[in-house]
Amino acid sequence: MSHLSAHISDSNSDDDFDEGNIEQISIPGPNTSKGDFMEAVKALQLEVQRLCAENRALKEKNKVLLAEKPKR
């Protein structure tokens, strides 16, 4: 049975992987039920949404930092 796995973090820390604050999502192989596959897809969708929100927040923070940066 082949499968992929993804590490999911519940916080925004870059050190989560090193600290072990990781949830693993296994992508079921080709012989699994549709329900198991849909659960994995939903979990991945939630992670993508979280990463998009984190990316927006980082972009906004970067804009603020650039605006506050002294001109040379």
Side-chain angles (χ1 to χ4, degrees):
M1 167 173 41
S2 65
H3 70 279
L4 303 173
S5 64
H7 295 290
I8 305 302
S9 170
D10 290 335
S11 71
N12 293 332
S13 172
D14 289 337
D15 298 327
D16 282 341
F17 186 76
D18 295 333
E19 295 173 5
N21 297 331
I22 302 296
E23 175 187 337
Q24 185 170 339
I25 297 178
S26 294
I27 305 300
N31 296 329
T32 57
S33 70
K34 182 178 178 180
D36 288 343
F37 179 73
M38 292 306 294
E39 283 183 35
V41 169
K42 287 178 186 178
L44 290 172
Q45 279 182 313
L46 291 174
E47 180 61 7
V48 167
Q49 289 172 353
R50 185 191 69 77
L51 289 171
C52 287
E54 183 179 345
N55 188 41
R56 279 191 297 274
L58 289 171
K59 283 182 178 181
E60 187 62 34
K61 185 176 181 178
N62 193 41
K63 281 183 188 178
V64 171
L65 291 173
L66 288 173
E68 292 174 351
K69 184 178 180 180
K71 305 285 184 198
R72 291 188 185 199

